[in-house]
Amino acid sequence: MRTAAPLPLAVHPLTREAFAPYGEVVEVSDAVRHFTINAGNTERYHDLANIEPGPDGRVIVSIFRGQPRSLPFTVQMMERHPLASQAFVPMSGKPYLVVVAPAGAPPAAEDLKVFLARADQGVNYATGVWHHPLLALEGVCDFLVIDRSGPGHNCDEVQLDRHGVIEAL
């Protein structure tokens, strides 16, 4: 039975370095390999995420339409995909929140880390990393999602014994 008050969760800017334990940030940056293609007309930012389809899986591309969340927001559950990675690339030009916890045992509220992603930043959750489902903020938001289709159970959900709360940005 949950008796503890919700744990306030700080919101951090999403950076490649801070997010590295959970996967990759998908963004245009001088820190990533890039080069000119198409007779000088296009700059290619190359190989930004380790897309892992897992055993007998195949990579699929979908669009998820997330409904906006209001703050304060209570984080009550987390999910993970034990067989494959899952990438989210925003398409609506709006910032959003990312809540993660390390791969492994089901997380506690104290394990959660919250990032504010800019409208031009995507994320690729590494295989097995705990994360909260979409947290759109400023209206309905579409995301291009690159993940796995294939045999086997690839989504675990857990309810947190103690909730976390995101009070403000």
Side-chain angles (χ1 to χ4, degrees):
M1 176 180 222
R2 193 181 81 251
T3 58
L7 178 69
L9 302 171
V11 178
H12 306 277
L14 181 65
T15 65
R16 295 174 60 79
E17 298 78 19
F19 195 74
Y22 312 104
E24 298 96 14
V25 174
V26 179
E27 67 181 336
V28 170
S29 166
D30 286 337
V32 299
R33 182 174 173 221
H34 58 101
F35 46 90
T36 304
I37 61 171
N38 297 336
N41 191 55
T42 303
E43 190 73 7
R44 177 179 177 148
Y45 291 81
H46 186 71
D47 197 14
L48 299 177
N50 181 26
I51 304 300
E52 176 55 55
D56 300 319
R58 68 180 186 88
V59 174
I60 61 170
V61 176
S62 306
I63 294 176
F64 288 15
R65 180 162 285 163
Q67 300 301 310
R69 311 290 184 125
S70 298
L71 299 181
F73 179 78
T74 302
V75 178
Q76 302 177 29
M77 63 80 68
M78 296 289 281
E79 69 178 31
R80 71 174 175 183
H81 303 285
L83 299 179
S85 63
Q86 188 178 44
F88 287 80
V89 180
M91 298 172 59
S92 298
K94 299 173 184 168
Y96 61 102
L97 290 173
V98 174
V99 180
V100 290
E110 293 79 10
D111 300 323
L112 304 181
K113 184 134 187 183
V114 182
F115 295 100
L116 177 61
R118 298 186 320 256
D120 65 343
Q121 292 178 303
V123 295
N124 182 46
Y125 299 118
T127 302
V129 164
W130 292 98
H131 60 278
H132 193 279
L134 282 178
L135 290 171
L137 293 171
E138 300 173 0
V140 174
C141 291
D142 289 344
F143 291 82
L144 184 74
V145 178
I146 305 164
D147 63 351
R148 175 189 198 273
S149 179
H153 177 76
N154 193 33
C155 186
D156 297 329
E157 293 183 359
V158 296
Q159 297 297 315
L160 299 175
D161 290 335
R162 181 181 185 194
H163 296 166
V165 65
I166 304 165
E167 295 174 344
L169 300 180

